[in-house]
Amino acid sequence: MKKDVTITVLPEEEKNQGLIKKALEKALFSEGIKTKGHSIEWVLVKKSIDARHGKVKFHLRFTVFVDEKAGAVETEFVPKWKKVSGNAEGTTVIVGSGPAGLFGALRLLEYGIKPVIIEQGEETDRRKGDIAEISTLGKVDSYSNFCFGEGGAGTFSDGKLYTRSNKRGNIPEVLQIFAHFGADKKILTDAHPHIGTEKLPGVINNIREFIKDCGGEFHFNCEVVDFVLEDCAGASGSAGNSEEVSSTKGAFGSSSEPKVLGVVVKNTKTGAESQFLGDAVLLGTGHSAYGIYSLLARTAPLSLEAKTFAMGVRVEHSRALIDSIQFHGKTGNLEAAEYHLTTQVEGRGVYSFCMCPGGFVVPSSSSDDEIVVNGMSASGRNSPWSNAAIVVETRPEDIPESFVKAAKKTGTAALSGLLYRKYIEQLTKNHGEGQKAPSQRMTDFIDGRISSSLPESSYTPGLVSSDLGSWLPPHISERLKAAFPEFNKMMKGYLCPEAVLIASETRTSTPCRIVRDKESRECVAIKKLYPVGEGSGYAGGIVSSAMDGANSAEKIAEVLGFKK
C-alpha cells in the first residue's frame, strides 16, 4: 500500500534515517496502519521550513510504501514533443523567448505545430557580456540587458519557481520540464523551488537547442515593429503604417476586428526589415517592452486597459541579520532565510516582493536614461546580503492627470501608468550617477536626512547618497515611511541603520493589460493574436508565465484543428 505522511523534525534530525522511520511508523499507526513485521520505504515529496513560535522546524511530506518497493511519487514526466518539418502545415510566430514563449513553443511541438520565436535581445552567452557592461561601464544596451534577451527577465535574475497560481495550470509539469532540461531535481520537492541565476541560463540553452532540433526556429536581434494584418474584407497590410491602418479599420477596435497574419521585424544590428508569417501570433514580450504597447496603442487602442501595479525600492540587509531574525538566532547550517511582509497604509498595500535570500541587487534598466533595480540569488543563496523589493500598490486613479493626458495622445489613456513608471525611472537616474543608484539608510529615510555614509552593498555599479523622500512621489515615500515601523513589529530588528534603500524598484508587473477574450484567449481587438505572460498582464513570474504561454498554445492548436 501507499500512503502520504507529513512529519515535523528539527534541522539536525533531517538526515537521521532511523528517527525518520520511527516518526513515519508512529504517524501511520495513529491512522490505524500497523507496520510491525512489515517493510516500509519512503520518498520525500515536499520540504518546508517553519520558523514560527521561536523554534525552527522542518515539515517533511513523504509518500510511504508499505510492503512494496518505493516507486515514482509524481506522475513520471514523459516528453511528447514532435519533430516538425521546415514546411510544417501549422506555424505559430512567438514574440519573446521568455518562459511564456518557450513553454508555448514546447506545447505547440506536442501537436506538431512549428514555433518561430522572435527575440529582440541576444542569446544567453552574448547577453552575459552586455549585462556585465552595465556594472563595469554603466552602459545599457536597450535590446540586451536584464530585461531583454533569451529566456526573458528571469534568466539572469534568480530563477524563482514558486507560485500560488494553482488553478492556472499544471505546476508540477512545469517543474518537471525544467528538471528534464537540467535544473536540479530539488525543485521537485522544495516548498519554494529555485534554480539560481548561474544555472538557469544553461537550462534555457538546453530548451532552445531542443526546440531547434525539433524543427523550431529562433531569430535573435529582431525587434517587432509592426503587425501584418488582414482586414475583414481580406486586404492585408502593415498595421503600424498610418496609410494602411486607414484601410484596416478593424485595427482600431471596430466590430469587425482584423486578423494578424504575422509580424514585421527590424534587425537591431543592421536595421533591415523582414516579415514572419504564421497561422497565429503568440505575444509574450515581457513587462518592459514599451514598443509593443506603443504599437498596440496606435493600431488597436481598445486592446489595452490600465491595471494596478506597484513601485518602490529594493531594501538590502546583511544576510546574517535576516537569518538571525527569522531563525531566532539559531541559524546553524540552515539555508538563507526568506521573509514575506505586507501591510496596509492609507488604503494601499505595501509589501515585499521577489525576496532574494543570500542574494544581490542588480541593475535592471532597459535604456540608458533610467535607473531600475531588481534582485537575484545564485543557487547556493550564500552571498553576505539578503534583499527584497518593498513596493506600494499603485492604482490607475493614483496616476497624476498629466500622465493620463500624455497617454491619450499616444492613442489610449491605458498607457498612463507606463508613462508614470518611466518618469520615476528617469527621475531616479537624475538623482544617481551613471548606473550608481540613489540610496539611503532606512533610519535616515524615516527621519528625512541624507545618509552621511552608506553600508557596503551587493549592488556593483555603486550607491549614491540621496534623500529619497524628497523626490520620490509622496504616494510612494509616505507609505514606505509608515510601513517600515510596522514591518519592524513583525520582524524585530528589520528597521535598522544597516538596512539600505536602493531606488527604484518599478517593474514588479506591467501597468497595463493587453485585453483578451476569456474563452478564446485571443486579443479582443485583433484576431489570431494571443497575448500571454507577465507583459500582457496575465502572470507574475516564471511558472505562471510558462503555464499561461502553454495554455494559449493549447488553444491555438485547438483552433487550428491539431491533435496530439
Side-chain angles (χ1 to χ4, degrees):
M1 68 169 292
K2 185 170 69 173
K3 181 72 175 177
D4 285 341
V5 177
T6 298
I7 63 174
T8 300
V9 301
L10 298 176
E12 60 269 22
E13 298 171 337
E14 180 193 7
K15 304 298 183 183
N16 187 329
Q17 295 301 299
L19 183 147
I20 295 292
K21 181 180 180 182
K22 288 182 179 179
L24 292 174
E25 289 175 333
K26 183 178 179 180
L28 289 169
F29 185 78
S30 68
E31 295 190 38
I33 302 172
K34 297 180 181 179
T35 58
K36 188 174 182 179
H38 300 269
S39 67
I40 70 167
E41 296 183 15
W42 56 91
V43 175
L44 179 66
V45 176
K46 193 70 66 178
K47 168 186 170 181
S48 60
I49 298 176
D50 184 350
R52 297 172 297 172
H53 312 302
K55 195 167 190 178
V56 180
K57 296 169 285 186
F58 286 167
H59 297 308
L60 306 176
R61 179 156 60 91
F62 296 93
T63 295
V64 183
F65 298 82
V66 181
D67 287 338
E68 62 179 276
K69 285 290 183 182
V73 175
E74 301 285 352
T75 302
E76 186 176 355
F77 175 69
V78 180
K80 300 176 182 177
W81 300 302
K82 302 174 183 177
K83 288 187 178 293
V84 295
S85 67
N87 298 314
E89 257 185 61
T91 297
T92 294
V93 177
I94 298 176
V95 184
S97 66
L102 293 176
F103 276 73
L106 291 172
R107 181 58 55 84
L108 291 171
L109 287 173
E110 292 183 31
Y111 290 90
I113 299 173
K114 180 178 178 177
V116 176
I117 300 178
I118 310 299
E119 170 59 55
Q120 71 173 359
E122 290 277 13
E123 298 180 32
T124 55
D125 289 345
R126 294 181 180 178
R127 189 178 171 195
K128 287 178 184 177
D130 295 329
I131 285 172
E133 288 188 347
I134 301 176
S135 293
T136 58
L137 304 177
K139 175 186 173 184
V140 180
D141 185 322
S142 296
Y143 297 109
S144 181
N145 44 63
F146 273 101
C147 295
F148 298 144
E150 184 179 15
T155 303
F156 291 99
S157 52
D158 213 64
K160 290 184 183 68
L161 302 179
Y162 177 66
T163 180
R164 294 186 177 90
S165 303
N166 296 302
K167 297 181 180 179
R168 295 188 181 184
N170 190 338
I171 295 174
E173 182 181 66
V174 172
L175 302 182
Q176 288 167 342
I177 289 174
F178 274 119
H180 177 80
F181 285 107
D184 193 313
K185 293 189 183 299
K186 283 175 56 179
I187 66 174
L188 303 178
T189 56
D190 285 351
H192 288 185
H194 164 256
I195 296 178
T197 192
E198 86 281 24
K199 294 185 176 181
L200 185 53
V203 176
I204 297 298
N205 290 352
N206 292 339
I207 295 175
R208 178 233 301 156
E209 291 305 312
F210 178 81
I211 291 173
K212 288 170 65 176
D213 288 344
C214 285
E217 296 180 13
F218 281 80
H219 298 273
F220 294 99
N221 304 308
C222 288
E223 179 189 16
V224 170
V225 294
D226 217 338
F227 297 120
V228 180
L229 298 178
E230 178 183 75
D231 69 9
C232 54
S236 62
S238 299
N241 183 297
S242 60
E243 293 181 3
E244 297 289 355
V245 168
S246 65
S247 67
T248 55
K249 295 180 181 178
F252 288 98
S254 72
S255 59
S256 299
E257 293 83 10
K259 178 174 71 174
V260 68
L261 302 177
V263 295
V264 179
V265 305
K266 181 187 72 174
N267 187 291
T268 61
K269 304 295 185 182
T270 67
E273 289 193 358
S274 56
Q275 291 186 358
F276 290 91
L277 305 179
D279 299 295
V281 174
L282 191 76
L283 190 65
T285 46
H287 57 40
S288 297
Y290 287 87
I292 290 295
Y293 297 127
S294 297
L295 174 58
L296 286 168
R298 294 194 305 272
T299 63
L302 294 184
S303 69
L304 296 170
E305 67 178 11
K307 63 179 279 292
T308 296
F309 62 112
M311 297 187 290
V313 296
R314 179 92 12 192
V315 174
E316 185 173 64
H317 293 79
S318 73
R319 174 191 163 185
L321 175 61
I322 295 299
D323 288 356
S324 179
I325 293 172
Q326 292 298 81
F327 296 145
H328 314 288
K330 302 175 183 178
T331 56
N333 294 319
L334 295 170
E335 297 177 356
E338 299 182 51
Y339 65 78
H340 176 69
L341 298 168
T342 183
T343 189
Q344 285 279 320
V345 179
E346 296 180 355
R348 296 290 182 269
V350 184
Y351 55 90
S352 61
F353 179 84
C354 184
M355 197 271 149
C356 299
F360 304 86
V361 181
V362 296
S364 291
S365 306
S366 53
S367 65
D368 199 46
D369 63 347
E370 63 195 23
I371 288 180
V372 180
V373 295
N374 194 5
M376 71 175 192
S377 298
S379 59
R381 290 182 162 176
N382 53 5
S383 92
W385 300 276
S386 289
N387 67 77
I390 302 295
V391 292
V392 178
E393 177 188 4
T394 303
R395 300 177 185 174
E397 58 264 34
D398 299 326
I399 308 300
E401 184 62 27
S402 59
F403 296 96
V404 177
K405 291 179 179 178
K408 288 179 179 177
K409 293 179 181 179
T410 71
T412 173
L415 295 189
S416 59
L418 205 67
L419 300 182
Y420 186 44
R421 184 177 79 175
K422 180 68 174 180
Y423 160 75
I424 291 176
E425 293 167 355
Q426 292 175 328
L427 187 63
T428 306
K429 171 85 171 184
N430 292 341
H431 289 272
E433 294 177 10
Q435 284 298 309
K436 291 183 178 180
S439 308
Q440 192 172 15
R441 292 180 186 266
M442 187 184 289
T443 48
D444 291 338
F445 175 71
I446 296 292
D447 294 336
R449 61 173 176 264
I450 294 179
S451 299
S452 58
S453 66
L454 294 169
E456 188 177 356
S457 171
S458 66
Y459 184 73
T460 52
L463 307 180
V464 176
S465 188
S466 175
D467 182 7
L468 305 185
S470 69
W471 57 267
L472 279 174
H475 162 79
I476 296 173
S477 61
E478 295 305 314
R479 286 183 170 89
L480 289 176
K481 288 182 179 180
F484 289 132
E486 293 301 312
F487 292 159
N488 196 60
K489 294 176 184 177
M490 305 171 195
M491 292 177 60
K492 190 171 179 58
Y494 184 85
L495 200 172
C496 63
E498 288 71 36
V500 63
L501 279 55
I502 305 175
S504 290
E505 176 93 23
T506 54
R507 300 191 186 176
T508 61
S509 64
T510 177
C512 61
R513 178 179 288 110
I514 304 174
V515 188
R516 69 189 184 196
D517 181 83
K518 186 175 182 180
E519 296 301 322
S520 72
R521 300 178 73 89
E522 284 181 312
C523 174
V524 296
I526 303 177
K527 292 185 178 299
K528 301 296 183 183
L529 180 67
Y530 293 81
V532 294
E534 205 166 315
S536 296
Y538 296 99
I542 291 174
V543 173
S544 58
S545 291
M547 292 189 296
D548 199 57
N551 290 341
S552 286
E554 186 98 30
K555 184 61 70 171
I556 290 172
E558 177 186 320
V559 170
L560 296 181
F562 280 74
K563 298 184 182 298
K564 291 185 181 180

